[in-house]
Amino acid sequence: MLDDFMTRATLAGIGVALAAAPLGSFVVWRRMAYFGDATAHAAILGVALSLALQISVFAGAMAVALAMALTVTILSGRGYAMDTLLGVLAHSALAFGLVAVSFLSGIRIDLMAYLFGDILAVSRGDLAVIWGGAAMVVGLIAWRWSPLLTATLNEDLAYSSGIDPRREQLILTLALAITVAVAIKVVGVLLIAAMLIIPAAAARPLARTPEGMAFIAAAIGAGSAVVGLRTAYVLDTPAGPTIVCVAAICFLLTSLFRSTRRAGG
Amino acid sequence: MTLLDVEGLSVGYGAAPVLRDVSLSIAPGEIVTVVGPNGSGKTSLLRALIGAVKPTSGRIRRKPGLRIGYVPQKLHIDPTLPISVERFLRLPGGIPHSACAPALERAGVPGLSRQQMSSLSGGQFQRVLLAHALINRPELLLLDEATQGLDQPGSAAFYRRIEEVRRETGCAVVMISHELHVVMSASDRVICLNGHVCCEGTPEIVSSAPEYRALFGTGTGGALALYRHEHDHQHDASCGHDHDHAHGDKATEAAE
């Protein structure tokens, strides 16, 4: 069954969508969209380093993404405005990554594959990494769901219940780094944040509970992966961006649904 | 047996201490109100009590296993987060479904559990926060300016409800308020804070204490109270002290 590249691609897309849904919900609730962007952009530096050091791209990307996320978390308490800080770090990490890649003269690497993903080239090994990473992310968030939600609502409320919001933030940061690392192959560093945010945002008008929003986001994300891949195959368009386009159309539809419901009732 | 003992507590962010050498203790079932001007460290005190800020010195001793209910000053729920009242009440977990209705009733807003948090009015929202604090059957209830954004009848009703909750459950209450005249009648004890404990005692004693008058003036004139606050603790004789103020300064110096 896994011999067919379309099957592998579809499974890879679904795996990323499942991990991105609960994490993406938190990214939206906590207004961390830029944070996700910065972490994802930093991953290209990780890719360059791991190619240079000949280690696994997954490990390199994850290490740099984690370092980036931690740097932002630490610096954000030091008086810079968050959007300035993220703007500086995200784009300089991307630029350094692109420059670093150019030094790798020995290896001809297809930069486009890392910027926009190369989901059709997912191997069985990649699939194992993607599903393993996705399972870790879903497991982490499911385990900490209620404390995470409490800390998201109000930090002092969390403290009074014996929850340390900084620890919960760290768990989200770790989950984000893992997601970025596994999603590179699927949608590329430039569109990872889209897979986090768009399905969650599209799920919002349909949901009445936080859990419901995460589940609906997972369904929308997985559906977008399946439909996007099919569309890309038929229309001969780049697969990763097509998946994101389908998710964006879902967002448009649910937003319209909300506004008609509001107008009607 | 006290619920909470604070000894020589100091809290600071960076160089300047916000609180210095604060000592107090809370007995079961008493209502204590902390009053003080803006920047006097009221919120820092409460945050230290719930463990959100680490004291730079001193210590806070809690009765082992003390159950605390906390009502934050404001709680902003991002519009992207869908959450019903019941789901909110049951955070952070371990709360059975059956506990929700009694908690809402005790807080004075029965029957809201299926509503979305975003659909509540300001007054309902505060009551739901109170229900969340009560759902765990706390021995100590902490409220940080819990009536912000409510009009005067609304906050008076809120404080009456707090008194009833104390009577029904026997929990101790520590609350911060700037609405002194509304809160005072409900309090057993008032602590007047301005970086340190200026004075404390029954509402009658505190409201007639010179330290309190120096901070808040004698009447309800807010502008006057603010003016006096800004000039308080300058220990500078050149800026046109009135008699009352000078008196207050001396008394606090003595207390320090």
Side-chain angles (χ1 to χ4, degrees), chain B residues 227-238:
Chain B
Y227 174 81
R228 288 189 175 166
H229 161 222
E230 279 170 2
H231 287 259
D232 185 57
H233 293 105
Q234 297 278 324
H235 304 282
D236 178 356
S238 69

Side-chain angles (χ1 to χ4, degrees), chain B residues 33 40 68 85 96 99 109 121-122 147 185 193 195 221 225:
Chain B
T33 300
S40 60
I68 289 182
V85 169
V109 279
S121 72
T147 57
S185 64
L193 197 70

Side-chain angles (χ1 to χ4, degrees), chain A residues 51-233:
Chain A
L51 290 173
L53 301 172
Q54 296 190 321
I55 56 169
S56 135
V57 169
F58 173 77
M62 189 176 138
V64 175
L66 194 58
M68 176 64 150
L70 291 176
T71 308
V72 173
T73 307
I74 292 164
L75 286 182
S76 65
R78 301 267 169 92
Y80 284 103
M82 196 61 173
D83 57 343
T84 307
L85 189 65
L86 288 171
V88 170
L89 288 174
H91 298 114
S92 43
L94 184 61
F96 276 108
L98 295 175
V99 170
V101 168
S102 75
F103 280 119
L104 300 171
S105 53
I107 321 154
R108 296 296 314 157
I109 69 158
D110 182 7
L111 197 56
M112 290 293 276
Y114 293 103
L115 289 177
F116 295 106
D118 195 6
I119 191 172
L120 298 180
V122 166
S123 67
R124 282 163 184 255
D126 293 334
L127 208 51
V129 167
I130 289 170
W131 275 84
M136 262 163 71
V137 169
V138 172
L140 258 180
I141 294 181
W143 171 50
R144 303 303 302 171
W145 183 266
S146 283
L148 272 170
L149 204 52
T150 310
T152 299
L153 281 171
N154 186 284
E155 293 205 341
D156 286 347
L157 207 61
Y159 275 119
S160 72
S161 317
I163 298 163
D164 185 348
R166 289 165 305 178
R167 197 175 85 147
E168 306 307 323
Q169 165 81 39
L170 208 59
I171 285 167
L172 275 188
T173 304
L174 183 64
L176 189 63
I178 299 173
T179 306
V180 164
V182 302
I184 287 182
K185 192 90 182 180
V186 175
V187 285
V189 292
L190 292 183
L191 291 176
I192 289 170
M195 279 307 279
L196 285 171
I197 293 152
I198 298 177
R204 170 63 185 101
L206 309 178
R208 287 185 53 82
T209 59
E211 295 78 12
M213 182 161 151
F215 278 112
I216 297 171
I220 291 175
S224 304
V226 172
V227 174
L229 275 169
R230 263 291 132 206
T231 312
Y233 186 72

Side-chain angles (χ1 to χ4, degrees), chain A residues 25 28-31 145-147 149-150 152-157 159-161 163 166 204 207-211 213 258, chain B residues 47 50-52 54 68 70 72 74-84 87-88 91-93 114-116 118 132:
Chain A
S25 299
V28 168
W29 297 333
R30 297 168 73 105
R31 307 201 163 193
W145 183 266
S146 283
L149 204 52
T150 310
T152 299
L153 281 171
N154 186 284
E155 293 205 341
D156 286 347
L157 207 61
Y159 275 119
S160 72
S161 317
I163 298 163
R166 289 165 305 178
R204 170 63 185 101
R208 287 185 53 82
T209 59
E211 295 78 12
M213 182 161 151
R258 175 168 60 180
Chain B
R47 295 191 75 224
I50 61 169
K54 283 220 157 48
I68 289 182
Y70 174 65
K74 54 177 185 277
L75 188 128
H76 170 78
I77 297 185
D78 198 273
T80 59
L81 176 53
I83 187 163
S84 65
R87 187 69 191 84
F88 172 72
L91 280 176
R114 292 178 61 81
Q115 294 227 30
Q116 286 283 302
S118 55
H132 180 265

Side-chain angles (χ1 to χ4, degrees), chain B residues 111-133:
Chain B
L112 284 184
S113 51
R114 292 178 61 81
Q115 294 227 30
Q116 286 283 302
M117 290 294 284
S118 55
S119 70
L120 303 179
S121 72
Q124 286 174 327
F125 197 94
Q126 288 301 0
R127 297 298 182 100
V128 169
L129 290 182
L130 177 61
H132 180 265

